[in-house]
Amino acid sequence: MPSRYLFHYAQVHNEFRLPELQSIAELYGIPYTLPQNPEDRDSTRPFMIVELDEEEHARMLARRCILIKAVYEYYGHGSTYDELHEVNRKNESLWARYVQDTSFRFLVTSSKHKIPQSRQREVIENFAYMGFLGKIDMKSPEIILTCFEEYEERHGTTRVKHEGDGEFRQVFFGRLIEEGSARQLVGKFDVKKRSYYGNTSMEAEISLLMANQTLASPGKLIYDPFMGTGSMAYPTGYFGALVFGSDIDGRQMRGKQKTPGVIRAATQYGIASRIVDLATFDVTHNPWRCGELFDSIVTDPPYGVRAGAKRLGRKRELSERQKELCLQHSLAPRPDDQPYIPPTKPYELSHLATDLVLLARYLLKPGGRLVFFLPTVTDEYEEVDIHTMMCEGMELVANSLQDFGSWGRRLVTIRKVTKERYPPPTFDPMLREANEETHIPAHKDFREKYFQGFKSKADETKG
């Protein structure tokens, strides 16, 4: 019979919470049940009660989910302590086994501020009916019992820290099972501590969340087609997956030292052996001659705020004279210290997104996932925007917003649901234009909108 567990979440990236839980549960084959009442699974609240078959499942989720701070065996909750005690008494069978000889520690805390010592003592004394006879151990107890008081915000601002006055929204009670050790990885992969990174390197917490969405684990082969400085490679490799990376600009992956920068950073994390290889090419002119190679594709495509996406080609067609000069130049011997750098042209974001889904359908194994960020204009975004890039055989799994105000970026997770083999995509511009005639998504021409719209508005505000 399933038991209930109290999940204590970090109050960051709230929209990523449920997709991460769903992904890690799928990875480990863990069945779970969320609260039926929408208010009880509100992602803005720090607590959620989840039903699981085994306590070990709760531990597994806490060890892998980046957003979980801790998991508790649920004993009860209520809008008042009287309601909590009533539920706790009914659940005596859960805690009665610890009454006789188990050392324990009792905590009263809050997600917003510190509870005054006088109130903590009063709350603890009201649990005397539980009759614990074991030793009180504040340093290394066998069990930790915790009361969480959840306070609401007043007038849109957080309550003052000294207001642990008992006027809470709800109070929860349970036994600590596992602290969220995965959250320590945020510090481990901190970009500022990394031996090699760039100005577009993804922050650690987000890259870890993306790695969880890929279901990264030993035996998986994962591809990043916009590798850059390798931010996606390190957490996926740390979770046991093998990683292949490519980029149109190999200098981003290599850096200026003899050993490629991505390899140096991977060595720092002890995962250099999991970087299969790095290659330089344009994804629209890729070398893949057979599909269904990868278990997942994860990437953060350049969308123009700091660096715009590029593809092979020229912005303008060359004249006949220019073509003749280029031909003559290409036939001339080239010094080794002057490698040929092919011309590139801008890669429009909506085209890139559509092409990326087509490439994923070709390269992913059945059931494989594509995980990538898509920037959007907040006021213009519609749900249909995501569907404009979809193609047959691909299914949307998750779409989570990281909000920056006038714009945001969406972590999109798409699964390949077909076993049919598809030929290599041609990245046909005619197909894109046909889709755009139906609906123009908010992420189209994002770079231009960002610099012409958002930047000018910011300048007006400063003025």
Side-chain angles (χ1 to χ4, degrees), residues 435-447:
N435 288 338
E436 289 177 0
E437 287 180 3
T438 306
H439 175 78
I440 298 177
H443 53 271
K444 180 175 172 55
D445 299 322
F446 178 81
R447 178 182 171 84

Side-chain angles (χ1 to χ4, degrees), residues 294-460:
F294 300 103
D295 296 283
S296 295
I297 295 175
V298 59
T299 193
D300 179 33
Y303 40 83
V305 175
R306 292 182 179 175
K310 302 288 185 181
R311 59 177 301 181
L312 295 180
R314 296 183 182 275
K315 296 180 181 179
R316 298 186 182 88
E317 287 295 324
L318 297 179
S319 66
E320 291 301 321
R321 175 58 179 165
Q322 288 172 323
K323 290 180 181 178
E324 182 180 341
L325 291 173
C326 286
L327 180 60
Q328 293 175 3
H329 184 67
S330 64
L331 294 175
R334 184 181 300 276
D336 293 339
D337 62 346
Q338 296 181 22
Y340 172 70
I341 300 177
T344 59
K345 60 183 179 181
Y347 197 177
E348 209 288 309
L349 181 61
S350 61
H351 298 169
L352 184 156
T354 301
D355 291 346
L356 185 58
V357 176
L358 289 171
L359 181 67
R361 184 177 66 174
Y362 172 60
L363 289 179
L364 287 175
K365 299 175 183 178
R369 288 183 166 202
L370 166 65
V371 181
F372 69 103
F373 262 116
L374 182 72
T376 59
V377 181
T378 301
D379 292 340
E380 299 179 14
Y381 173 77
E382 299 178 61
E383 289 296 326
V384 71
D385 290 354
I386 302 298
H387 297 284
T388 60
M389 71 181 73
M390 300 295 286
C391 61
E392 182 181 353
M394 303 295 279
E395 173 187 72
L396 182 66
V397 173
N399 172 14
S400 309
L401 174 66
Q402 185 180 13
D403 191 0
F404 296 115
S406 55
W407 72 285
R409 57 183 183 182
R410 294 182 171 273
L411 182 57
V412 180
T413 303
I414 298 172
R415 179 194 291 119
K416 182 176 177 179
V417 294
T418 179
K419 293 183 179 180
E420 182 180 347
R421 287 180 175 272
Y422 286 87
T426 60
F427 307 112
D428 186 356
M430 299 298 292
L431 181 61
R432 300 195 202 102
E433 292 173 5
N435 288 338
E436 289 177 0
E437 287 180 3
T438 306
H439 175 78
I440 298 177
H443 53 271
K444 180 175 172 55
D445 299 322
F446 178 81
R447 178 182 171 84
E448 289 74 13
K449 292 175 181 177
Y450 181 89
F451 285 106
Q452 294 176 9
F454 309 147
K455 190 173 182 181
S456 61
K457 289 180 181 178
D459 291 340
E460 290 176 6

